Every structure is written in C-alpha cells, then in structure tokens.
Amino acid sequence: FLSLSIHRITMSANQHKRKLASIANDDHATTSTSAPSEPANKKPKTQSTQHNHTHQPHAIKDKKPTVDDVSNEVKANHDYDDTCASAPSQMDTKIWTIDCSSQSATFDDYLHHTCLQSAAAALRNGELVAFPTETVYGLGANAFNNEACNKIFVAKGRPSDNPLIVHIAERAQLWQWILKPVHSDAHVYCLPLILEKLMDKYWPGPLSIILPYPCQKLVEQSCDSKTPISATSTSIICDKVRGDGKLQSVAVRMPCNAIARALISLAQCPIAAPSANTSGRPSPTRGQHVIHDMKGRVYGIVDAGELACDVGLESTIIKLDDSHDTHQ
C-alpha cells in the first residue's frame, strides 16, 4: 500500500512537471509571437518623448531668428492697422527704371522719358504710383480724385483721416490748381508777403506750406445744384487729402527733384503723396526699399535708384499764425 501510494505521488508529480513545462512553453511561444510589435511600439514612443524633452529645447535656445521669422512675427502681431483700411489684394506692380547716375538729365529730358509718360498716365487714371523726390520716395495719387487718394491709405495701412501733402511742379500751378478753385476773384485773395518770400527762397525744395482752403462753400453749392464737383469746370482738392474733409486747409510743396516735377507736369494734376512705405516702417530713400515694401500693393513704382533722394528726410512743414499781420 505504501509502495502504491509513493508510486501514485511520483506519477502526480511527474504529470504536474509536464503541465508546468507545457504552460511555460505556451507562454514563451506567445511572448515570442507578440514581442516584435508590442515593445517596438512602446520603445519609439518612450524615445520620442525623451528626445523632445531633452534635445529640442537646446535646439530652440541656440537658434538665431531669421528675417523670415521676424517677418512672420510682424504679420502675426498685425503690423498693419486693420481698423484703418483693409489690406489691398496683390497686384502686378509695374517697375519703371530710370538711370540718374550721370545726373546730367534735365527737367526737359525727363518730360520726354517714356517711363515717366506711362507713370503719369497711370496717375491720371486714378492709380497709385511711387516716385522719388529730393526728400524720400512718395506714394502718389491724383489729388482731385477721392477714390484714388483712398488707395493711399489702403496701401499704407494708414488712418484715413490723416491729411496728405499736395505736390506741384511749378509756381503757377499753386494758383491754377489750388487757390483759384476756392478764390474766384484774384483780387480777393493774395498770398501773405512772408509766404511769398519763403517760396522765393525755398521753392522748389523740401518746404511744405499749409494754406487756407475754404472749400466748404463750393461743396455746398455743388450739392445744392445736384451737380457732382468732378463734373464741373472747377476741381477741388478731394476730402481724403484734407483729413476726410475735416480740414479747410491744405499743405502744398514744390519738390526740386527733376523726375518728380516732370511726372507731375505730365500727369497734369496735383499729386497727393505721403512717404512710400507701409505704416510704421522707415521712409524709403532707395527704389529697392519701395519695391521690397510696396510691390504688389501699388500699381507702379518709378525706381530711380539711391541717388535721387539727396536730402533723405521728410520736408519741413510750416503754417502761418492767423493772429499776426500776414501782409507785412
């Protein structure tokens, strides 16, 4: 009986060992089958997470910002004031290149320059044209055309109630284009003597003079007669030039740059022009500056290189105090 019991216990132990061995073999087979996929999935994740936390911060810290980074940051911060005017759609900007390196060309020579003739035609048709002056490059539009002048504010991203300076090519145009429309009788209004002397000395040149421009009565007369001002024989400086019509005055300048004067003469109208840059950027003194900043935002650019703007600063603006005797 004892031998039989020992024999049965031995058999049970052997059977148990065989079962354990079988289970172990099954577990090993299962593990071998699933091992290539499961740990492979977990391991790359662990490595990727570790890489992001250990190496990437150092790469960001050591990276120096590029021009594109700065440009993208400016765009993200809305460099242009969206409340002023909506950004213009991209257009094919015409580039008219004029070589003024020899500095021998005269005002009469530029009057026959085909590039300036094309640019002047665009201004007459209500387009925006950037052009050089002796101060900085200007962004020009027909000062009689309200729609054209509004394009200036859209292209620059500038508040639409900021007044603009009007440019003329010769002294006679001050009366013909600016003063005559609002002063019907030449004997009623004459320039103060001090302004005459300033013009004699500093025109043409970088001096802008603010003059009274009582055009409201003319506007009211036009409204009463139900005849648009643009359809009358008299043209007035548009509202967009005069702070959205809030001002009864206008700033006038006669540049000494021969290219600018020829362009104005060929356009046959006064040209309203602030500096040719988007709002917040430096005023440009080279054609390439304008192309880099305004290409795609304006109809055309007269590129006269870097020698055209010999002054390199905006004009001086003066206004006569009404409390003084201006005729002495």
PDB file of all heavy atoms in Angstrom, residues 189-196 319-328:
ATOM      1  N   TYR A 189      -8.097 137.433 -52.853  1.00  0.00           N
ATOM      2  CA  TYR A 189      -7.115 136.748 -52.028  1.00  0.00           C
ATOM      3  C   TYR A 189      -5.740 136.841 -52.676  1.00  0.00           C
ATOM      4  O   TYR A 189      -5.578 136.639 -53.878  1.00  0.00           O
ATOM      5  CB  TYR A 189      -7.482 135.272 -51.869  1.00  0.00           C
ATOM      6  CG  TYR A 189      -6.456 134.490 -51.072  1.00  0.00           C
ATOM      7  CD1 TYR A 189      -6.485 134.502 -49.687  1.00  0.00           C
ATOM      8  CD2 TYR A 189      -5.456 133.755 -51.708  1.00  0.00           C
ATOM      9  CE1 TYR A 189      -5.538 133.799 -48.949  1.00  0.00           C
ATOM     10  CE2 TYR A 189      -4.517 133.047 -50.980  1.00  0.00           C
ATOM     11  CZ  TYR A 189      -4.562 133.076 -49.606  1.00  0.00           C
ATOM     12  OH  TYR A 189      -3.635 132.380 -48.882  1.00  0.00           O
ATOM     13  N   CYS A 190      -4.774 137.163 -51.855  1.00  0.00           N
ATOM     14  CA  CYS A 190      -3.386 137.106 -52.304  1.00  0.00           C
ATOM     15  C   CYS A 190      -2.552 136.497 -51.181  1.00  0.00           C
ATOM     16  O   CYS A 190      -2.906 136.592 -50.005  1.00  0.00           O
ATOM     17  CB  CYS A 190      -2.859 138.495 -52.680  1.00  0.00           C
ATOM     18  SG  CYS A 190      -2.830 139.676 -51.332  1.00  0.00           S
ATOM     19  N   LEU A 191      -1.475 135.860 -51.561  1.00  0.00           N
ATOM     20  CA  LEU A 191      -0.628 135.212 -50.572  1.00  0.00           C
ATOM     21  C   LEU A 191      -0.004 136.237 -49.639  1.00  0.00           C
ATOM     22  O   LEU A 191       0.400 137.323 -50.075  1.00  0.00           O
ATOM     23  CB  LEU A 191       0.477 134.426 -51.263  1.00  0.00           C
ATOM     24  CG  LEU A 191       0.080 133.096 -51.899  1.00  0.00           C
ATOM     25  CD1 LEU A 191       1.253 132.549 -52.708  1.00  0.00           C
ATOM     26  CD2 LEU A 191      -0.342 132.078 -50.850  1.00  0.00           C
ATOM     27  N   PRO A 192       0.092 135.944 -48.360  1.00  0.00           N
ATOM     28  CA  PRO A 192       0.821 136.826 -47.450  1.00  0.00           C
ATOM     29  C   PRO A 192       2.257 137.017 -47.931  1.00  0.00           C
ATOM     30  O   PRO A 192       2.874 136.099 -48.483  1.00  0.00           O
ATOM     31  CB  PRO A 192       0.777 136.071 -46.125  1.00  0.00           C
ATOM     32  CG  PRO A 192      -0.433 135.202 -46.214  1.00  0.00           C
ATOM     33  CD  PRO A 192      -0.525 134.805 -47.650  1.00  0.00           C
ATOM     34  N   LEU A 193       2.778 138.193 -47.722  1.00  0.00           N
ATOM     35  CA  LEU A 193       4.107 138.537 -48.199  1.00  0.00           C
ATOM     36  C   LEU A 193       5.178 137.603 -47.645  1.00  0.00           C
ATOM     37  O   LEU A 193       6.105 137.208 -48.369  1.00  0.00           O
ATOM     38  CB  LEU A 193       4.436 139.990 -47.827  1.00  0.00           C
ATOM     39  CG  LEU A 193       5.794 140.522 -48.296  1.00  0.00           C
ATOM     40  CD1 LEU A 193       5.901 140.446 -49.817  1.00  0.00           C
ATOM     41  CD2 LEU A 193       6.005 141.957 -47.810  1.00  0.00           C
ATOM     42  N   ILE A 194       5.042 137.217 -46.391  1.00  0.00           N
ATOM     43  CA  ILE A 194       6.047 136.343 -45.791  1.00  0.00           C
ATOM     44  C   ILE A 194       6.076 134.983 -46.482  1.00  0.00           C
ATOM     45  O   ILE A 194       7.139 134.358 -46.654  1.00  0.00           O
ATOM     46  CB  ILE A 194       5.797 136.198 -44.264  1.00  0.00           C
ATOM     47  CG1 ILE A 194       6.955 135.437 -43.625  1.00  0.00           C
ATOM     48  CG2 ILE A 194       4.471 135.506 -43.978  1.00  0.00           C
ATOM     49  CD1 ILE A 194       6.896 135.406 -42.105  1.00  0.00           C
ATOM     50  N   LEU A 195       4.906 134.488 -46.900  1.00  0.00           N
ATOM     51  CA  LEU A 195       4.859 133.209 -47.617  1.00  0.00           C
ATOM     52  C   LEU A 195       5.456 133.354 -49.013  1.00  0.00           C
ATOM     53  O   LEU A 195       6.121 132.436 -49.516  1.00  0.00           O
ATOM     54  CB  LEU A 195       3.422 132.701 -47.701  1.00  0.00           C
ATOM     55  CG  LEU A 195       2.770 132.278 -46.383  1.00  0.00           C
ATOM     56  CD1 LEU A 195       1.385 131.684 -46.640  1.00  0.00           C
ATOM     57  CD2 LEU A 195       3.638 131.278 -45.624  1.00  0.00           C
ATOM     58  N   GLU A 196       5.219 134.492 -49.630  1.00  0.00           N
ATOM     59  CA  GLU A 196       5.821 134.758 -50.940  1.00  0.00           C
ATOM     60  C   GLU A 196       7.348 134.700 -50.834  1.00  0.00           C
ATOM     61  O   GLU A 196       8.024 134.117 -51.700  1.00  0.00           O
ATOM     62  CB  GLU A 196       5.375 136.130 -51.452  1.00  0.00           C
ATOM     63  CG  GLU A 196       3.900 136.246 -51.815  1.00  0.00           C
ATOM     64  CD  GLU A 196       3.623 135.791 -53.234  1.00  0.00           C
ATOM     65  OE1 GLU A 196       4.552 135.261 -53.879  1.00  0.00           O
ATOM     66  OE2 GLU A 196       2.473 135.939 -53.685  1.00  0.00           O
ATOM     67  N   LYS A 319       3.056 126.599 -40.941  1.00  0.00           N
ATOM     68  CA  LYS A 319       1.726 127.203 -41.037  1.00  0.00           C
ATOM     69  C   LYS A 319       1.786 128.578 -40.410  1.00  0.00           C
ATOM     70  O   LYS A 319       2.338 128.752 -39.318  1.00  0.00           O
ATOM     71  CB  LYS A 319       0.686 126.339 -40.319  1.00  0.00           C
ATOM     72  CG  LYS A 319      -0.722 126.916 -40.388  1.00  0.00           C
ATOM     73  CD  LYS A 319      -1.719 126.054 -39.632  1.00  0.00           C
ATOM     74  CE  LYS A 319      -3.120 126.660 -39.704  1.00  0.00           C
ATOM     75  NZ  LYS A 319      -4.109 125.852 -38.946  1.00  0.00           N
ATOM     76  N   LEU A 320       1.222 129.547 -41.100  1.00  0.00           N
ATOM     77  CA  LEU A 320       1.259 130.926 -40.643  1.00  0.00           C
ATOM     78  C   LEU A 320       0.215 131.142 -39.546  1.00  0.00           C
ATOM     79  O   LEU A 320      -0.936 130.693 -39.659  1.00  0.00           O
ATOM     80  CB  LEU A 320       0.982 131.872 -41.806  1.00  0.00           C
ATOM     81  CG  LEU A 320       1.585 133.263 -41.731  1.00  0.00           C
ATOM     82  CD1 LEU A 320       3.104 133.188 -41.576  1.00  0.00           C
ATOM     83  CD2 LEU A 320       1.222 134.059 -42.979  1.00  0.00           C
ATOM     84  N   ASP A 321       0.637 131.810 -38.475  1.00  0.00           N
ATOM     85  CA  ASP A 321      -0.267 132.107 -37.373  1.00  0.00           C
ATOM     86  C   ASP A 321      -1.252 133.190 -37.807  1.00  0.00           C
ATOM     87  O   ASP A 321      -0.855 134.290 -38.213  1.00  0.00           O
ATOM     88  CB  ASP A 321       0.545 132.575 -36.156  1.00  0.00           C
ATOM     89  CG  ASP A 321      -0.303 132.668 -34.902  1.00  0.00           C
ATOM     90  OD1 ASP A 321      -1.543 132.676 -35.007  1.00  0.00           O
ATOM     91  OD2 ASP A 321       0.276 132.697 -33.810  1.00  0.00           O
ATOM     92  N   ASP A 322      -2.527 132.887 -37.710  1.00  0.00           N
ATOM     93  CA  ASP A 322      -3.560 133.829 -38.167  1.00  0.00           C
ATOM     94  C   ASP A 322      -3.637 135.094 -37.300  1.00  0.00           C
ATOM     95  O   ASP A 322      -4.221 136.092 -37.714  1.00  0.00           O
ATOM     96  CB  ASP A 322      -4.940 133.153 -38.153  1.00  0.00           C
ATOM     97  CG  ASP A 322      -5.019 132.026 -39.164  1.00  0.00           C
ATOM     98  OD1 ASP A 322      -4.251 132.083 -40.143  1.00  0.00           O
ATOM     99  OD2 ASP A 322      -5.828 131.112 -38.965  1.00  0.00           O
ATOM    100  N   SER A 323      -3.042 135.063 -36.115  1.00  0.00           N
ATOM    101  CA  SER A 323      -3.150 136.214 -35.212  1.00  0.00           C
ATOM    102  C   SER A 323      -2.210 137.344 -35.589  1.00  0.00           C
ATOM    103  O   SER A 323      -2.300 138.440 -35.036  1.00  0.00           O
ATOM    104  CB  SER A 323      -2.869 135.777 -33.767  1.00  0.00           C
ATOM    105  OG  SER A 323      -1.527 135.313 -33.636  1.00  0.00           O
ATOM    106  N   HIS A 324      -1.273 137.115 -36.526  1.00  0.00           N
ATOM    107  CA  HIS A 324      -0.323 138.146 -36.921  1.00  0.00           C
ATOM    108  C   HIS A 324      -0.738 138.798 -38.224  1.00  0.00           C
ATOM    109  O   HIS A 324      -1.509 138.230 -39.016  1.00  0.00           O
ATOM    110  CB  HIS A 324       1.085 137.549 -37.063  1.00  0.00           C
ATOM    111  CG  HIS A 324       1.682 137.135 -35.759  1.00  0.00           C
ATOM    112  ND1 HIS A 324       1.368 135.950 -35.134  1.00  0.00           N
ATOM    113  CD2 HIS A 324       2.584 137.757 -34.943  1.00  0.00           C
ATOM    114  CE1 HIS A 324       2.044 135.854 -33.998  1.00  0.00           C
ATOM    115  NE2 HIS A 324       2.792 136.930 -33.870  1.00  0.00           N
ATOM    116  N   ASP A 325      -0.209 139.955 -38.466  1.00  0.00           N
ATOM    117  CA  ASP A 325      -0.449 140.665 -39.718  1.00  0.00           C
ATOM    118  C   ASP A 325       0.402 139.976 -40.802  1.00  0.00           C
ATOM    119  O   ASP A 325       1.618 140.114 -40.818  1.00  0.00           O
ATOM    120  CB  ASP A 325      -0.066 142.136 -39.593  1.00  0.00           C
ATOM    121  CG  ASP A 325      -0.436 142.928 -40.855  1.00  0.00           C
ATOM    122  OD1 ASP A 325      -0.884 142.289 -41.830  1.00  0.00           O
ATOM    123  OD2 ASP A 325      -0.281 144.162 -40.855  1.00  0.00           O
ATOM    124  N   THR A 326      -0.237 139.219 -41.662  1.00  0.00           N
ATOM    125  CA  THR A 326       0.466 138.388 -42.614  1.00  0.00           C
ATOM    126  C   THR A 326       0.872 139.141 -43.877  1.00  0.00           C
ATOM    127  O   THR A 326       1.517 138.570 -44.742  1.00  0.00           O
ATOM    128  CB  THR A 326      -0.403 137.193 -43.013  1.00  0.00           C
ATOM    129  OG1 THR A 326      -1.632 137.678 -43.576  1.00  0.00           O
ATOM    130  CG2 THR A 326      -0.708 136.313 -41.807  1.00  0.00           C
ATOM    131  N   HIS A 327       0.490 140.373 -44.026  1.00  0.00           N
ATOM    132  CA  HIS A 327       0.767 141.105 -45.267  1.00  0.00           C
ATOM    133  C   HIS A 327       1.909 142.106 -45.105  1.00  0.00           C
ATOM    134  O   HIS A 327       2.072 142.998 -45.924  1.00  0.00           O
ATOM    135  CB  HIS A 327      -0.496 141.816 -45.753  1.00  0.00           C
ATOM    136  CG  HIS A 327      -1.587 140.859 -46.157  1.00  0.00           C
ATOM    137  ND1 HIS A 327      -1.610 140.234 -47.376  1.00  0.00           N
ATOM    138  CD2 HIS A 327      -2.657 140.394 -45.470  1.00  0.00           C
ATOM    139  CE1 HIS A 327      -2.675 139.449 -47.447  1.00  0.00           C
ATOM    140  NE2 HIS A 327      -3.314 139.523 -46.297  1.00  0.00           N
ATOM    141  N   GLN A 328       2.673 141.958 -44.044  1.00  0.00           N
ATOM    142  CA  GLN A 328       3.820 142.843 -43.834  1.00  0.00           C
ATOM    143  C   GLN A 328       5.104 142.050 -43.788  1.00  0.00           C
ATOM    144  O   GLN A 328       5.104 140.889 -43.453  1.00  0.00           O
ATOM    145  CB  GLN A 328       3.634 143.649 -42.545  1.00  0.00           C
ATOM    146  CG  GLN A 328       2.462 144.639 -42.620  1.00  0.00           C
ATOM    147  CD  GLN A 328       2.404 145.506 -41.377  1.00  0.00           C
ATOM    148  OE1 GLN A 328       3.264 145.433 -40.508  1.00  0.00           O
ATOM    149  NE2 GLN A 328       1.379 146.333 -41.297  1.00  0.00           N
TER     150      GLN A 328
END
